[in-house]
Structure formats: C-alpha cells, structure tokens
Amino acid sequence: MSYFPINNDEISLIKFIAIYQYLNVKDAKYFFNSSRYYRNRIKALIDKKFLRKIKWTLVLGQSGIQYVQLLNLEYNKLNKNQQYKERLLKLSNIAAFYHNCNTVTFIPSFAIKDKTVFTTTGRRFIGILNINGFEYLTYQILEEHDNKYIESVAYDIQKEMKYGNFIILVNDINRIKLDDFAFGKNSLLVIEDNETSREKLKYLHSIRWNELITEYYEGVHLSEYYFCEYSNNKDTYINTFYFIDTEKIIRFRYFMKENSANIAHIICTTELEKELRKAFPSANYCVVKIEKYIDKERKYYHF
C-alpha cells in the first residue's frame, strides 16, 4: 500500500479519471493547488503506471486500475469508441474545471440514473450543473455543431418536463437567436463558453442583489409580478441580468409591448448591455460592476 499515492491531489485525479475515463493533459492543472510542478507529478504517476498517456489524453494505467478496484472505487472501463471518447473529453473538461469548487457541482449525463427520462442517444444535454442547490440542465454548442444541431437542442429543451432551469454553453453567443430559445421555462441562460464565463458561473447565486438594488433605487421591493424581479408597483419595473436569460427577456419584452417603455429598468454589466439593447432598445439601463456585490471568500484555482 505504501506504493500507492498518498497525496490528496493525486488521489483525487486518479478517482476522477476512473469515472470519466479520459482527461485532457492540460485539464490536469485543476487538480493541484499549485500548477508550478503539477507536470512533474503527472509524470511520476505515469512512471508508476497509475496513469497512462495516449497522445494528449490521460487514462488509468495498470496500477491505477488495480488501485481503484482494490479500494472498490467507482470505475468505468475505458471505452475506445472515438466518437464517445470525444464526448467524454468534453464532459471531463467541464467537470475538471469545477472539481475544487464549493458552489458548483457537475453531474455528467452518463451518471444520471433516471433512464426512463434520459437517454444518451436521443437527448442533447451534457449533464446538470448544480449551482448552490439550483439544478440547470446543461447543453454545449461547439464550433463544429451546425444549425441543425442547434435546432435539435431547442427541441430537446422544449420537450423537457422535469427541469425548469437550463444553461447553454455556446462557442459564439451570436449563434443563438433569443426568440428561438424561449419556451415558458423558468430560466434559460445562454453563456459564451470560456474560462471567464465559467468562473462567473460560480457566483450566479452569490450576488447581493438587494444591496445593489437599494443603492441605485428607492422605494422598490421584490416583485410579485412574473415579468420582473423588483418594482414599486407604479412606474419602476426592474430586471437584473448577470448572464443572458432568454426566458426573462421574452417575459419582460412582452410586458413592455403593453406598457410605456420608460418604466422598464435593466441592471446589467457593460458586457451585457450591448446584447440586451438589441432586445430592449428603449429601456432604462443601470450599468454596474456586479462583481462588487459578490463575496469571493476564496480562490478555487491557482494558475
């Protein structure tokens, strides 16, 4: 047993690969508190045959397989189908990013137990992002996906009955037509898939909105209306945006068609203002640095 790894970072990495089967070499950095020497530690695990490197991916080596089997850890035998391998790499990339995060948990599609609701062949979702207890059925649209694939994602979401919150990670946010992705669900976040956005996602439910609202508006409160989040029930109706939310946009836009635009207020970041003005050109905008109202008690990764 003394030959086996005793470092928690290394053990965590082995357990992760035992489940996801494949991990891109560059994603191994998410498992170590310091990225300075992690390549040397990966090399040592390869030398001891706990890991095996196949081109630019890491899989379990002979000693790694024996280790997880001896300890009766969760283990999925290596699937060598190229198409499925590419899918697993995409899943492990997201899971690795949030591996040491205490606000976000990623549950991959292959781990979802309700086989009567979910299938890996007929559905496009990649898994569930659980953010502070709120579950989001998650999809990923990559550069190689064509318009037909995007339409299939829309159809998939439209027919979903169990979940009301959704996230679409897309390589280019302009590929999503907002009107085509509103189905009367609770929320549908369209997020440009990069490290900056993934980092922001950690704090989706950690924003001190009440403090922000009272700093910029007087006499408003949480709204009882379905189309806005805050109001004074008279001439101020406010929605907040940390990401693009197509459902929230459609609800608010419908309200604005029936009412004077000057009572509609939107709180957002500078980055979102340009996109939101396409949907609400005449609304009142309060552009703020939302990061000021987020408590970031710790850094989860050190690069």
Side-chain angles (χ1 to χ4, degrees), residues 241-290:
F241 287 89
Y242 186 55
F243 291 109
I244 292 293
D245 184 338
T246 59
E247 297 288 2
K248 190 187 295 186
I249 287 172
I250 297 302
R251 287 194 295 265
F252 206 32
R253 194 167 66 186
Y254 179 78
F255 163 75
M256 289 177 63
K257 284 182 179 179
E258 304 296 323
N259 297 273
S260 173
N262 63 7
I263 65 177
H265 295 256
I266 291 173
I267 298 176
C268 65
T269 62
T270 302
E271 295 77 16
L272 283 185
E273 182 185 9
K274 182 179 178 181
E275 286 296 322
L276 290 172
R277 281 194 180 276
K278 296 176 184 177
F280 307 109
S282 58
N284 299 286
Y285 284 82
C286 178
V287 180
V288 300
K289 291 184 177 180
I290 294 177

